[in-house]
Amino acid sequence: GFREAHVAINSKNQNRFGGTGTWGNSTFKISGDFGIQGDAIDFRRGEVSGAMDMNEVLAFFMNIDEHPFSFNKPVQWMVSVSKEKDNLSLSGLMDLQGVALETDAFIINPPGDSKHISFEVDLGPDKTVDLKRLTMALDSSSLEARGSYNIRGADVFALSLSIPSLSMTDLGVSFKKRMRRLKGVLEGSVELRALLREHGERTIDGRIKGRDFFLVWPRISSPVEGCEFILDFSGKNVHIISSGMKIGQTPLRIAGDLDINDGLRGELTLESDFLNVEDLWPRSEAGLPGVKKAGGTAAEKQKTVDLSVNVKASKGRWRSLNLGPSQLDLHVTDSEIQVRDSKILLEHGLLRFKGHLNR
């Protein structure tokens, strides 16, 4: 509510208002002008600025009690508001200085001084939110978005993302496990649609390209570097057109199809000219970010990872053992890696085995 307010009315019907106040944990300062038509007050335009608690705002507009991320502090903002008939048009700027976003798996904390979000939004009388433009500028990186949402129970959230160039260094992405920064550059465009209710369906369409990625994944022994990929999104599915990287001493090419609507399911093919098994060996002390280990309640035991993986290598090494042409048929889940079949050519024979590795 308002902590203080003032109104000035003159004979030319050029009236002014202003005040300061709070909405939950957000604070604001407001000023503007209005007209008086008979018994009705006609709002014309205004300026609003303050510090916005994004956690409360997103929960209100998305009509959900919890969302999968949180902000560390209120965001400084300034908005110009104008009215045309029954529509409100907003144009504003959000300063991201010192603002970090956190999820269960990672933290986004952009470095540097040049970081802000500008936006234009129309609010309709039927409680529709039309995001006409949102631009995030981070040093040399940028991201643009457009979308729509109906606050009054429609539940459907639609968003179009255009990524001319987005550097993970500019974005400041760090994995919580071992707090290593993600490096790389994304570009492309996608269309997202989601039902904002429990177990609501989500779809993504478009293409994303990545280059020069470096990351330390908590689940494997060696860092991933020089990663490049092209991903095609279609509804609930992702088609990996191409993906190349180096993990330790192992050059790796990945292709396949994934279902990402509820967990991670699908089929992958991994090919390498030289496979050093220990580069890909799972770390027993680490878990996948955001993935529950086996055990606990029945809901927790539901598989979120269910992959069929075919591995082909021209040659390789495991500890002191040199390997010839190799092929492995794997089934990967949250709790284990099952070797369903294998053929490994050794110097003095052929090795075949089946078994399980606990994750």
Side-chain angles (χ1 to χ4, degrees):
F2 281 93
R3 286 189 284 200
E4 69 170 290
H6 60 268
V7 178
I9 300 176
N10 63 32
S11 59
K12 296 181 179 180
N13 204 20
Q14 296 174 349
N15 313 305
R16 298 284 300 171
F17 66 90
T20 61
T22 61
W23 182 60
N25 293 324
S26 301
T27 62
F28 62 86
K29 179 180 179 181
I30 187 170
S31 63
D33 58 76
F34 65 96
I36 299 176
Q37 306 290 335
D39 295 332
I41 294 176
D42 180 28
F43 170 79
R44 293 171 179 167
R45 66 186 63 85
E47 301 280 342
V48 189
S49 61
M52 184 186 301
D53 185 329
M54 291 298 298
N55 300 312
E56 287 186 344
V57 171
L58 289 174
F60 174 79
F61 279 102
M62 292 185 174
N63 197 27
I64 53 177
D65 294 328
E66 296 183 4
H67 39 80
F69 47 80
S70 62
F71 291 81
N72 67 326
K73 61 179 288 188
V75 177
Q76 298 295 321
W77 58 284
M78 178 177 64
V79 179
S80 297
V81 186
S82 61
K83 183 182 178 183
E84 183 175 348
K85 294 183 179 180
D86 293 329
N87 292 311
L88 289 177
S89 294
L90 288 71
S91 176
L93 186 72
M94 301 171 66
D95 185 359
L96 300 180
Q97 190 67 35
V99 176
L101 183 147
E102 184 174 348
T103 74
D104 290 341
F106 57 84
I107 297 172
I108 297 177
N109 188 8
D113 298 325
S114 177
K115 44 187 175 181
H116 64 270
I117 294 174
S118 60
F119 59 89
E120 295 177 8
V121 179
D122 283 351
L123 303 179
D126 55 352
K127 292 190 175 182
T128 56
V129 179
D130 179 15
L131 177 61
K132 298 173 68 176
R133 179 191 60 83
L134 181 147
T135 301
M136 181 174 66
L138 303 170
D139 290 335
S140 62
S141 296
S142 64
L143 179 149
E144 299 176 359
R146 289 175 172 80
S148 62
Y149 178 63
N150 192 317
I151 302 174
R152 192 164 54 192
D155 284 341
V156 178
F157 175 72
L159 187 68
S160 298
L161 287 177
S162 174
I163 309 172
S165 178
L166 182 60
S167 163
M168 299 298 103
T169 300
D170 289 345
L171 196 57
V173 182
S174 297
F175 288 104
K176 284 187 172 180
K177 293 279 187 179
R178 303 165 71 189
M179 288 308 294
R180 295 295 296 267
R181 284 195 176 274
L182 175 65
K183 298 179 182 178
V185 178
L186 286 177
E187 59 183 45
S189 61
V190 291
E191 304 270 343
L192 297 89
R193 288 181 62 86
L195 292 178
L196 297 179
R197 55 174 176 253
E198 189 175 5
H199 306 305
E201 185 176 86
R202 300 174 299 275
T203 63
I204 307 176
D205 293 278
R207 173 174 288 191
I208 293 292
K209 297 180 181 180
R211 56 181 171 83
D212 302 327
F213 269 77
F214 174 89
L215 66 111
V216 177
W217 191 252
R219 195 58 203 169
I220 58 177
S221 300
S222 299
V224 178
E225 55 187 330
C227 179
E228 298 185 356
F229 55 83
I230 301 176
L231 307 178
D232 263 1
F233 295 85
S234 178
K236 305 175 186 178
N237 301 312
V238 181
H239 176 52
I240 305 174
I241 296 177
S242 64
S243 178
M245 67 197 72
K246 191 173 183 180
I247 304 177
Q249 302 175 38
T250 301
L252 200 60
R253 299 178 298 278
I254 301 176
D257 294 280
L258 300 172
D259 181 337
I260 58 172
N261 189 58
D262 184 19
L264 187 63
R265 296 170 170 80
E267 298 182 357
L268 295 175
T269 298
L270 280 62
E271 296 183 338
S272 178
D273 297 326
F274 179 84
L275 176 63
N276 181 21
V277 177
E278 291 181 284
D279 287 332
L280 309 180
W281 200 255
R283 291 179 177 271
S284 59
E285 75 276 8
L288 281 169
V291 176
K292 296 182 181 297
K293 292 184 177 180
T297 66
E300 290 173 334
K301 290 180 179 179
Q302 182 180 0
K303 290 181 181 180
T304 55
V305 177
D306 188 0
L307 297 172
S308 293
V309 182
N310 185 259
V311 182
K312 300 176 182 178
S314 301
K315 59 181 178 180
R317 183 172 62 245
W318 180 56
R319 297 184 180 177
S320 60
L321 186 63
N322 291 323
L323 309 177
S326 306
Q327 186 167 339
L328 292 89
D329 179 15
L330 309 177
H331 181 217
V332 180
T333 67
D334 303 77
S335 58
E336 67 175 13
I337 300 174
Q338 178 189 1
V339 182
R340 294 186 290 205
D341 195 10
S342 64
K343 298 178 182 178
I344 302 174
L345 184 63
L346 303 176
E347 185 178 357
H348 300 293
L350 179 67
L351 173 65
R352 304 191 68 167
F353 67 93
K354 300 179 181 181
H356 298 260
L357 297 172
N358 293 327
R359 291 168 62 81

